[in-house]
Amino acid sequence: MTLKVYRQKRNFNKTSEPKGKVVKDRSKAKKGKGKELSFFVQKHDASRLHYDFRLEMHGVLVSWAVPKGPSLDPADKRLAVHVEDHPLSYGGFEGSIPEGEYGAGEVIVWDHGKWKPLEDISPEKGLEEGRIKFELQGKKLKGAWSLVRMKTSDSQDAWLLIKDRDDFAISSKKYDILEKMPKSVISSKVIKSRKAKS
Ligand code: MN
């Protein structure tokens, strides 16, 4: 695992995003049922508004860009494009990426907490096989979730983020968590109306 692609895309003289480092593999240090790793969801008002869904694995944040954001409705299968690994320290990043830089726009930490795998296979194996079942213990997102890789022929590494059926699932007709809980979990900031960008 490496942060090479992450670093190549960014100019750290211009952006306040962390340069970061690969930390000691906490998933290996925490064996068995006590294994709890960090997750983060950032709301990012880049050229297109999206949510970045990040799971701690092997010392980095394995990341997916979710254009429509997570849904608590198991019927909503949300596209999640697997993107480059980010440093663990990225999870706490909030701020404005300057115009002209990669991902220019506002970022807030929309949710964070712990996650744990719900299957016997390691998350790394799940990543390889295109199927990860996990539990989230966030401030907003809770319960069982799945990430499943789509079998597509195009070059995008497209997955689906799906809420599994449990007590935390709710119909999107009844409750839209993105609308009801828009604030940052660390600063209470919100991303205001979409900017028109060309
Ligand atoms: Mn992003």
Side-chain angles (χ1 to χ4, degrees):
M1 59 295 325
T2 169
L3 295 170
K4 199 174 160 194
V5 178
Y6 170 84
R7 287 181 180 149
Q8 275 169 352
K9 290 185 175 199
R10 292 168 175 81
N11 180 344
F12 296 100
N13 294 321
K14 292 191 175 159
T15 180
S16 54
E17 294 163 285
K19 197 165 179 216
K21 57 178 188 204
V22 178
V23 304
K24 188 172 155 278
D25 191 346
R26 298 203 288 151
S27 63
K28 279 191 186 125
K30 296 178 183 176
K31 284 252 158 57
K33 286 189 178 161
K35 186 149 96 178
E36 282 184 343
L37 298 161
S38 304
F39 86 94
F40 299 88
V41 183
Q42 279 153 315
K43 186 176 179 182
H44 184 186
D45 191 20
S47 51
R48 284 186 189 170
L49 182 79
H50 61 273
Y51 292 74
D52 290 296
F53 188 84
R54 311 191 194 278
L55 296 178
E56 177 186 357
M57 246 182 254
H58 46 251
V60 294
L61 293 173
V62 178
S63 298
W64 289 262
V66 185
K68 289 186 175 173
S71 169
L72 301 186
D73 189 338
D76 291 338
K77 295 171 170 54
R78 294 285 161 90
L79 174 68
V81 179
H82 184 207
V83 297
E84 78 274 16
D85 291 346
H86 280 53
L88 268 184
S89 55
Y90 200 91
F93 173 75
E94 272 195 354
S96 188
I97 300 169
E99 280 306 317
E101 295 308 298
Y102 180 73
E106 296 290 320
V107 178
I108 61 167
V109 180
W110 183 80
D111 197 16
H112 71 170
K114 298 289 174 195
W115 79 276
K116 57 185 177 187
L118 285 177
E119 285 175 333
D120 282 339
I121 62 166
S122 72
E124 287 78 11
K125 187 83 180 154
L127 195 60
E128 206 181 291
E129 291 182 353
R131 187 166 175 275
I132 310 170
K133 269 180 84 77
F134 52 95
E135 182 187 327
L136 295 180
Q137 298 161 357
K139 296 205 163 145
K140 297 175 185 173
L141 302 182
K142 297 174 195 293
W145 294 74
S146 294
L147 272 163
V148 182
R149 188 162 54 217
M150 292 168 78
K151 292 175 184 74
T152 53
S153 54
D154 71 38
S155 58
Q156 268 194 345
D157 193 359
W159 295 57
L160 294 171
L161 176 66
I162 307 161
K163 178 74 197 78
D164 289 340
R165 294 185 188 280
D166 63 12
D167 291 348
F168 298 105
I170 183 165
S171 161
S172 55
K173 291 191 187 82
K174 288 189 188 143
Y175 187 81
D176 178 352
I177 195 168
L178 303 181
E179 212 173 87
K180 300 285 187 197
M181 305 186 94
K183 289 180 182 173
S184 160
V185 290
I186 59 174
S187 67
S188 294
K189 276 186 211 154
V190 290
I191 285 180
K192 294 184 194 86
S193 64
R194 292 300 322 283
K195 288 170 279 189
K197 284 181 185 173
S198 53

